[in-house]
Amino acid sequence: MGKLDHKVAVITGGARGLGQAMAVSFAKEGATVIAADMSELTYTEKNVFGYHLNITDVDAVKAFFDEVVAKYGKIDILVNNAGITKDSMTRKMTDEQWDAVINVNLKGVFNMTRLIGPLMEVNGYGSIINISSVVGVFGNIGQANYAATKAGVLGLTKTWAKEFARKGANVRVNAIAPGYTMTDMLKSVPQDLLDDFAKLTMLKRLGQPEEIASVALFLASDDASYITGQTICVDGGMRL
Ligand code: NAD
């Protein structure tokens, strides 16, 4: 018996990094996982299926939604995980940097959830997990665009927790705010800065993708059946 037997899960940005760790752990617990990503899957796992999708493309998201519902009849779990950074000090930040990050990290989350949330509401069941960041909770120098989106998804989390359950549906919406976790996203960050980030945590180390995935699995499953509208910081006790 798996914790997610018979469940259908959509994970955006599921081709690598945190999305990969979540897709693999959900599939191992019995879920059918659709890893929706602009990139090809970097791994193979039984019951994880890649789907080429740019979450900023409204028409493509609609086509994706129609195809998944036609094939599986439902979506039980949505993880809004796809995200990008385009860092710059505010005085130097270009419109392109601002718009690109808002479009993926905030509008992309809206594009997915405005279709899948109401479907869950009609079906009477669902768990949505938004991947925020410590940067959305504490702010960070050089990341005004990213911080705005990651704080924004915390507002969306609370709003959707209220909206999708208001007629009595068992739809829960929560957020995870990861600290610095070893994925490709950190590839461009110099090692000395990563060492500084590690020192800022109580556990004196960076996170591993599996340590985010285990919390996502908990929130996705009925183990978290009375938890909604919450943000769980998974950051080793970090203070920026
Ligand atoms: P990553 O760069 O390794 O993976 C992100 C994935 O999202 C990639 O596969 C990419 O192709 C996909 N993606 C990007 N834009 C997309 C789009 N428009 N449509 C579909 N897919 C798209 O990053 P990661 O570290 O795995 O990050 C996953 C999430 O976790 C992001 O939202 C990120 O902001 C958040 N996060 C990461 C960290 C960290 O330290 N790694 C910390 C806090 C929060």
mmCIF file of all heavy atoms in Angstrom, residues 1-10 25-34 47 49 68 71-77 123 125-126 217 220-222:
data_model
loop_
_atom_site.group_PDB
_atom_site.id
_atom_site.type_symbol
_atom_site.label_atom_id
_atom_site.label_comp_id
_atom_site.label_asym_id
_atom_site.label_seq_id
_atom_site.Cartn_x
_atom_site.Cartn_y
_atom_site.Cartn_z
ATOM 1 N N MET A 1 0.843 -1.210 0.000
ATOM 2 C CA MET A 1 0.000 0.000 0.000
ATOM 3 C C MET A 1 0.877 1.258 0.000
ATOM 4 O O MET A 1 1.687 1.460 0.896
ATOM 5 C CB MET A 1 -0.866 0.029 1.266
ATOM 6 C CG MET A 1 -2.154 -0.753 1.162
ATOM 7 S SD MET A 1 -3.399 0.150 0.234
ATOM 8 C CE MET A 1 -3.824 1.444 1.407
ATOM 9 N N GLY A 2 0.687 2.093 -1.019
ATOM 10 C CA GLY A 2 1.413 3.357 -1.039
ATOM 11 C C GLY A 2 0.529 4.476 -0.510
ATOM 12 O O GLY A 2 -0.690 4.363 -0.499
ATOM 13 N N LYS A 3 1.168 5.561 -0.081
ATOM 14 C CA LYS A 3 0.406 6.702 0.450
ATOM 15 C C LYS A 3 -0.384 7.420 -0.638
ATOM 16 O O LYS A 3 -1.316 8.166 -0.340
ATOM 17 C CB LYS A 3 1.357 7.701 1.113
ATOM 18 C CG LYS A 3 1.887 7.249 2.464
ATOM 19 C CD LYS A 3 2.784 8.330 3.054
ATOM 20 C CE LYS A 3 3.493 7.848 4.307
ATOM 21 N NZ LYS A 3 2.604 7.525 5.413
ATOM 22 N N LEU A 4 0.020 7.222 -1.919
ATOM 23 C CA LEU A 4 -0.660 7.936 -3.012
ATOM 24 C C LEU A 4 -1.225 6.972 -4.062
ATOM 25 O O LEU A 4 -1.350 7.336 -5.238
ATOM 26 C CB LEU A 4 0.323 8.919 -3.678
ATOM 27 C CG LEU A 4 0.943 9.998 -2.777
ATOM 28 C CD1 LEU A 4 1.866 10.905 -3.588
ATOM 29 C CD2 LEU A 4 -0.126 10.829 -2.068
ATOM 30 N N ASP A 5 -1.599 5.770 -3.625
ATOM 31 C CA ASP A 5 -2.187 4.807 -4.567
ATOM 32 C C ASP A 5 -3.396 5.417 -5.273
ATOM 33 O O ASP A 5 -4.227 6.081 -4.629
ATOM 34 C CB ASP A 5 -2.646 3.552 -3.815
ATOM 35 C CG ASP A 5 -1.477 2.617 -3.509
ATOM 36 O OD1 ASP A 5 -0.396 2.813 -4.104
ATOM 37 O OD2 ASP A 5 -1.645 1.718 -2.674
ATOM 38 N N HIS A 6 -3.480 5.196 -6.583
ATOM 39 C CA HIS A 6 -4.605 5.642 -7.429
ATOM 40 C C HIS A 6 -4.688 7.160 -7.597
ATOM 41 O O HIS A 6 -5.661 7.665 -8.151
ATOM 42 C CB HIS A 6 -5.949 5.116 -6.900
ATOM 43 C CG HIS A 6 -5.919 3.653 -6.573
ATOM 44 N ND1 HIS A 6 -5.634 2.694 -7.515
ATOM 45 C CD2 HIS A 6 -6.092 2.997 -5.399
ATOM 46 C CE1 HIS A 6 -5.654 1.501 -6.938
ATOM 47 N NE2 HIS A 6 -5.909 1.655 -5.656
ATOM 48 N N LYS A 7 -3.695 7.880 -7.120
ATOM 49 C CA LYS A 7 -3.734 9.338 -7.261
ATOM 50 C C LYS A 7 -3.035 9.763 -8.562
ATOM 51 O O LYS A 7 -2.063 9.141 -8.996
ATOM 52 C CB LYS A 7 -3.020 10.016 -6.082
ATOM 53 C CG LYS A 7 -3.672 9.733 -4.723
ATOM 54 C CD LYS A 7 -4.941 10.531 -4.552
ATOM 55 C CE LYS A 7 -5.459 10.524 -3.121
ATOM 56 N NZ LYS A 7 -6.335 9.371 -2.825
ATOM 57 N N VAL A 8 -3.549 10.838 -9.152
ATOM 58 C CA VAL A 8 -2.928 11.437 -10.337
ATOM 59 C C VAL A 8 -2.320 12.772 -9.915
ATOM 60 O O VAL A 8 -3.023 13.633 -9.367
ATOM 61 C CB VAL A 8 -3.972 11.658 -11.459
ATOM 62 C CG1 VAL A 8 -3.335 12.370 -12.647
ATOM 63 C CG2 VAL A 8 -4.581 10.323 -11.888
ATOM 64 N N ALA A 9 -1.025 12.915 -10.146
ATOM 65 C CA ALA A 9 -0.314 14.123 -9.713
ATOM 66 C C ALA A 9 0.294 14.846 -10.908
ATOM 67 O O ALA A 9 0.879 14.215 -11.794
ATOM 68 C CB ALA A 9 0.790 13.756 -8.721
ATOM 69 N N VAL A 10 0.156 16.169 -10.924
ATOM 70 C CA VAL A 10 0.834 17.011 -11.913
ATOM 71 C C VAL A 10 1.901 17.811 -11.165
ATOM 72 O O VAL A 10 1.597 18.468 -10.163
ATOM 73 C CB VAL A 10 -0.164 17.975 -12.603
ATOM 74 C CG1 VAL A 10 0.578 19.025 -13.420
ATOM 75 C CG2 VAL A 10 -1.138 17.197 -13.477
ATOM 76 N N SER A 25 9.428 10.433 -5.655
ATOM 77 C CA SER A 25 8.887 9.974 -4.361
ATOM 78 C C SER A 25 7.378 9.747 -4.453
ATOM 79 O O SER A 25 6.855 8.793 -3.876
ATOM 80 C CB SER A 25 9.264 10.940 -3.235
ATOM 81 O OG SER A 25 8.269 11.869 -2.992
ATOM 82 N N PHE A 26 6.660 10.581 -5.207
ATOM 83 C CA PHE A 26 5.204 10.384 -5.361
ATOM 84 C C PHE A 26 4.941 9.069 -6.114
ATOM 85 O O PHE A 26 4.039 8.313 -5.749
ATOM 86 C CB PHE A 26 4.566 11.538 -6.149
ATOM 87 C CG PHE A 26 4.429 12.833 -5.396
ATOM 88 C CD1 PHE A 26 5.118 13.079 -4.215
ATOM 89 C CD2 PHE A 26 3.601 13.849 -5.880
ATOM 90 C CE1 PHE A 26 4.993 14.289 -3.536
ATOM 91 C CE2 PHE A 26 3.461 15.051 -5.212
ATOM 92 C CZ PHE A 26 4.156 15.282 -4.042
ATOM 93 N N ALA A 27 5.716 8.820 -7.177
ATOM 94 C CA ALA A 27 5.505 7.603 -7.975
ATOM 95 C C ALA A 27 5.797 6.362 -7.135
ATOM 96 O O ALA A 27 5.081 5.360 -7.221
ATOM 97 C CB ALA A 27 6.383 7.638 -9.223
ATOM 98 N N LYS A 28 6.838 6.437 -6.309
ATOM 99 C CA LYS A 28 7.176 5.283 -5.452
ATOM 100 C C LYS A 28 6.061 4.994 -4.454
ATOM 101 O O LYS A 28 5.919 3.879 -3.955
ATOM 102 C CB LYS A 28 8.505 5.523 -4.720
ATOM 103 C CG LYS A 28 9.723 5.374 -5.638
ATOM 104 C CD LYS A 28 11.003 5.240 -4.846
ATOM 105 C CE LYS A 28 12.261 5.280 -5.718
ATOM 106 N NZ LYS A 28 12.267 4.438 -6.891
ATOM 107 N N GLU A 29 5.254 6.008 -4.151
ATOM 108 C CA GLU A 29 4.117 5.819 -3.224
ATOM 109 C C GLU A 29 2.824 5.519 -3.971
ATOM 110 O O GLU A 29 1.735 5.631 -3.408
ATOM 111 C CB GLU A 29 3.949 7.048 -2.332
ATOM 112 C CG GLU A 29 5.024 7.182 -1.262
ATOM 113 C CD GLU A 29 4.977 6.075 -0.206
ATOM 114 O OE1 GLU A 29 3.914 5.487 0.013
ATOM 115 O OE2 GLU A 29 6.036 5.801 0.398
ATOM 116 N N GLY A 30 2.936 5.210 -5.276
ATOM 117 C CA GLY A 30 1.771 4.703 -6.001
ATOM 118 C C GLY A 30 1.082 5.676 -6.936
ATOM 119 O O GLY A 30 0.133 5.290 -7.624
ATOM 120 N N ALA A 31 1.533 6.944 -6.974
ATOM 121 C CA ALA A 31 0.860 7.919 -7.840
ATOM 122 C C ALA A 31 1.280 7.761 -9.304
ATOM 123 O O ALA A 31 2.379 7.287 -9.596
ATOM 124 C CB ALA A 31 1.187 9.343 -7.378
ATOM 125 N N THR A 32 0.384 8.158 -10.197
ATOM 126 C CA THR A 32 0.752 8.394 -11.593
ATOM 127 C C THR A 32 1.135 9.864 -11.673
ATOM 128 O O THR A 32 0.348 10.734 -11.275
ATOM 129 C CB THR A 32 -0.455 8.131 -12.520
ATOM 130 O OG1 THR A 32 -0.821 6.755 -12.380
ATOM 131 C CG2 THR A 32 -0.123 8.444 -13.959
ATOM 132 N N VAL A 33 2.352 10.149 -12.141
ATOM 133 C CA VAL A 33 2.863 11.518 -12.110
ATOM 134 C C VAL A 33 3.079 12.048 -13.516
ATOM 135 O O VAL A 33 3.734 11.391 -14.337
ATOM 136 C CB VAL A 33 4.205 11.590 -11.330
ATOM 137 C CG1 VAL A 33 4.728 13.026 -11.301
ATOM 138 C CG2 VAL A 33 4.043 11.048 -9.915
ATOM 139 N N ILE A 34 2.524 13.219 -13.785
ATOM 140 C CA ILE A 34 2.809 13.905 -15.045
ATOM 141 C C ILE A 34 3.759 15.050 -14.710
ATOM 142 O O ILE A 34 3.392 15.976 -13.976
ATOM 143 C CB ILE A 34 1.525 14.431 -15.722
ATOM 144 C CG1 ILE A 34 0.593 13.254 -16.000
ATOM 145 C CG2 ILE A 34 1.849 15.133 -17.036
ATOM 146 C CD1 ILE A 34 -0.657 13.266 -15.192
ATOM 147 N N ASN A 47 6.000 5.108 -13.944
ATOM 148 C CA ASN A 47 4.813 5.927 -13.633
ATOM 149 C C ASN A 47 5.075 7.425 -13.517
ATOM 150 O O ASN A 47 4.240 8.159 -12.978
ATOM 151 C CB ASN A 47 4.083 5.415 -12.386
ATOM 152 C CG ASN A 47 3.455 4.062 -12.637
ATOM 153 O OD1 ASN A 47 3.099 3.746 -13.776
ATOM 154 N ND2 ASN A 47 3.360 3.235 -11.615
ATOM 155 N N PHE A 49 5.619 10.456 -16.159
ATOM 156 C CA PHE A 49 5.508 10.711 -17.589
ATOM 157 C C PHE A 49 5.801 12.177 -17.869
ATOM 158 O O PHE A 49 5.161 13.065 -17.293
ATOM 159 C CB PHE A 49 4.102 10.336 -18.084
ATOM 160 C CG PHE A 49 3.734 8.913 -17.749
ATOM 161 C CD1 PHE A 49 2.949 8.628 -16.637
ATOM 162 C CD2 PHE A 49 4.225 7.861 -18.507
ATOM 163 C CE1 PHE A 49 2.641 7.314 -16.295
ATOM 164 C CE2 PHE A 49 3.919 6.546 -18.177
ATOM 165 C CZ PHE A 49 3.123 6.266 -17.073
ATOM 166 N N VAL A 68 -4.884 15.834 -20.109
ATOM 167 C CA VAL A 68 -4.717 15.044 -18.867
ATOM 168 C C VAL A 68 -6.084 14.599 -18.343
ATOM 169 O O VAL A 68 -6.259 13.433 -17.949
ATOM 170 C CB VAL A 68 -3.952 15.871 -17.791
ATOM 171 C CG1 VAL A 68 -3.953 15.137 -16.447
ATOM 172 C CG2 VAL A 68 -2.526 16.130 -18.244
ATOM 173 N N LYS A 71 -7.487 11.832 -20.439
ATOM 174 C CA LYS A 71 -6.783 10.559 -20.262
ATOM 175 C C LYS A 71 -7.025 9.934 -18.882
ATOM 176 O O LYS A 71 -7.255 8.729 -18.771
ATOM 177 C CB LYS A 71 -5.284 10.778 -20.477
ATOM 178 C CG LYS A 71 -4.477 9.499 -20.465
ATOM 179 C CD LYS A 71 -3.117 9.688 -21.100
ATOM 180 C CE LYS A 71 -2.374 8.365 -21.140
ATOM 181 N NZ LYS A 71 -1.017 8.504 -21.632
ATOM 182 N N TYR A 72 -6.961 10.751 -17.841
ATOM 183 C CA TYR A 72 -7.005 10.200 -16.470
ATOM 184 C C TYR A 72 -8.328 10.494 -15.748
ATOM 185 O O TYR A 72 -8.604 9.912 -14.693
ATOM 186 C CB TYR A 72 -5.848 10.755 -15.626
ATOM 187 C CG TYR A 72 -4.489 10.413 -16.197
ATOM 188 C CD1 TYR A 72 -3.760 11.353 -16.907
ATOM 189 C CD2 TYR A 72 -3.945 9.136 -16.039
ATOM 190 C CE1 TYR A 72 -2.515 11.042 -17.443
ATOM 191 C CE2 TYR A 72 -2.702 8.820 -16.560
ATOM 192 C CZ TYR A 72 -1.997 9.779 -17.265
ATOM 193 O OH TYR A 72 -0.770 9.464 -17.790
ATOM 194 N N GLY A 73 -9.094 11.444 -16.258
ATOM 195 C CA GLY A 73 -10.402 11.741 -15.661
ATOM 196 C C GLY A 73 -10.356 12.628 -14.433
ATOM 197 O O GLY A 73 -11.397 13.090 -13.954
ATOM 198 N N LYS A 74 -9.153 12.884 -13.901
ATOM 199 C CA LYS A 74 -9.058 13.685 -12.662
ATOM 200 C C LYS A 74 -7.604 14.111 -12.442
ATOM 201 O O LYS A 74 -6.685 13.553 -13.059
ATOM 202 C CB LYS A 74 -9.513 12.857 -11.476
ATOM 203 C CG LYS A 74 -8.631 11.618 -11.264
ATOM 204 C CD LYS A 74 -8.951 10.907 -9.962
ATOM 205 C CE LYS A 74 -7.944 9.792 -9.710
ATOM 206 N NZ LYS A 74 -8.029 9.227 -8.386
ATOM 207 N N ILE A 75 -7.430 15.084 -11.591
ATOM 208 C CA ILE A 75 -6.090 15.436 -11.080
ATOM 209 C C ILE A 75 -6.260 15.586 -9.568
ATOM 210 O O ILE A 75 -7.064 16.397 -9.104
ATOM 211 C CB ILE A 75 -5.560 16.742 -11.708
ATOM 212 C CG1 ILE A 75 -5.392 16.588 -13.230
ATOM 213 C CG2 ILE A 75 -4.225 17.155 -11.067
ATOM 214 C CD1 ILE A 75 -5.138 17.890 -13.976
ATOM 215 N N ASP A 76 -5.546 14.773 -8.803
ATOM 216 C CA ASP A 76 -5.679 14.798 -7.337
ATOM 217 C C ASP A 76 -4.672 15.733 -6.680
ATOM 218 O O ASP A 76 -4.925 16.269 -5.601
ATOM 219 C CB ASP A 76 -5.457 13.387 -6.763
ATOM 220 C CG ASP A 76 -6.430 12.381 -7.324
ATOM 221 O OD1 ASP A 76 -7.636 12.507 -7.052
ATOM 222 O OD2 ASP A 76 -5.989 11.462 -8.057
ATOM 223 N N ILE A 77 -3.496 15.838 -7.317
ATOM 224 C CA ILE A 77 -2.400 16.585 -6.687
ATOM 225 C C ILE A 77 -1.770 17.509 -7.736
ATOM 226 O O ILE A 77 -1.509 17.078 -8.864
ATOM 227 C CB ILE A 77 -1.315 15.610 -6.165
ATOM 228 C CG1 ILE A 77 -1.904 14.681 -5.089
ATOM 229 C CG2 ILE A 77 -0.104 16.366 -5.629
ATOM 230 C CD1 ILE A 77 -1.112 13.397 -4.898
ATOM 231 N N ASN A 123 -14.581 17.827 -8.206
ATOM 232 C CA ASN A 123 -14.365 16.419 -7.844
ATOM 233 C C ASN A 123 -14.455 16.189 -6.338
ATOM 234 O O ASN A 123 -14.563 15.051 -5.875
ATOM 235 C CB ASN A 123 -12.993 15.941 -8.340
ATOM 236 C CG ASN A 123 -12.958 15.808 -9.854
ATOM 237 O OD1 ASN A 123 -13.992 15.834 -10.505
ATOM 238 N ND2 ASN A 123 -11.763 15.681 -10.416
ATOM 239 N N TYR A 125 -12.083 16.715 -4.139
ATOM 240 C CA TYR A 125 -10.851 16.242 -3.506
ATOM 241 C C TYR A 125 -9.635 16.842 -4.211
ATOM 242 O O TYR A 125 -9.597 16.918 -5.437
ATOM 243 C CB TYR A 125 -10.750 14.721 -3.602
ATOM 244 C CG TYR A 125 -9.510 14.169 -2.931
ATOM 245 C CD1 TYR A 125 -9.535 13.826 -1.579
ATOM 246 C CD2 TYR A 125 -8.312 14.048 -3.628
ATOM 247 C CE1 TYR A 125 -8.394 13.372 -0.955
ATOM 248 C CE2 TYR A 125 -7.160 13.594 -3.001
ATOM 249 C CZ TYR A 125 -7.206 13.253 -1.662
ATOM 250 O OH TYR A 125 -6.075 12.811 -1.031
ATOM 251 N N GLY A 126 -8.623 17.219 -3.436
ATOM 252 C CA GLY A 126 -7.373 17.656 -4.055
ATOM 253 C C GLY A 126 -6.389 18.219 -3.053
ATOM 254 O O GLY A 126 -6.757 18.643 -1.949
ATOM 255 N N LEU A 217 5.493 15.151 -0.070
ATOM 256 C CA LEU A 217 4.743 13.885 -0.006
ATOM 257 C C LEU A 217 3.756 13.911 1.166
ATOM 258 O O LEU A 217 2.596 13.523 1.030
ATOM 259 C CB LEU A 217 5.712 12.709 0.133
ATOM 260 C CG LEU A 217 5.078 11.337 0.387
ATOM 261 C CD1 LEU A 217 4.185 10.922 -0.780
ATOM 262 C CD2 LEU A 217 6.162 10.281 0.625
ATOM 263 N N ALA A 220 0.929 16.214 0.263
ATOM 264 C CA ALA A 220 0.106 15.659 -0.818
ATOM 265 C C ALA A 220 -0.805 14.550 -0.314
ATOM 266 O O ALA A 220 -1.898 14.343 -0.839
ATOM 267 C CB ALA A 220 1.008 15.120 -1.929
ATOM 268 N N SER A 221 -0.354 13.845 0.717
ATOM 269 C CA SER A 221 -1.060 12.639 1.168
ATOM 270 C C SER A 221 -2.116 12.980 2.229
ATOM 271 O O SER A 221 -2.151 14.086 2.769
ATOM 272 C CB SER A 221 -0.062 11.649 1.767
ATOM 273 O OG SER A 221 0.305 12.077 3.068
ATOM 274 N N ASP A 222 -2.922 11.985 2.544
ATOM 275 C CA ASP A 222 -3.948 12.184 3.574
ATOM 276 C C ASP A 222 -3.350 12.240 4.983
ATOM 277 O O ASP A 222 -4.082 12.502 5.946
ATOM 278 C CB ASP A 222 -5.011 11.076 3.472
ATOM 279 C CG ASP A 222 -5.860 11.239 2.201
ATOM 280 O OD1 ASP A 222 -5.913 12.382 1.681
ATOM 281 O OD2 ASP A 222 -6.435 10.251 1.724
#
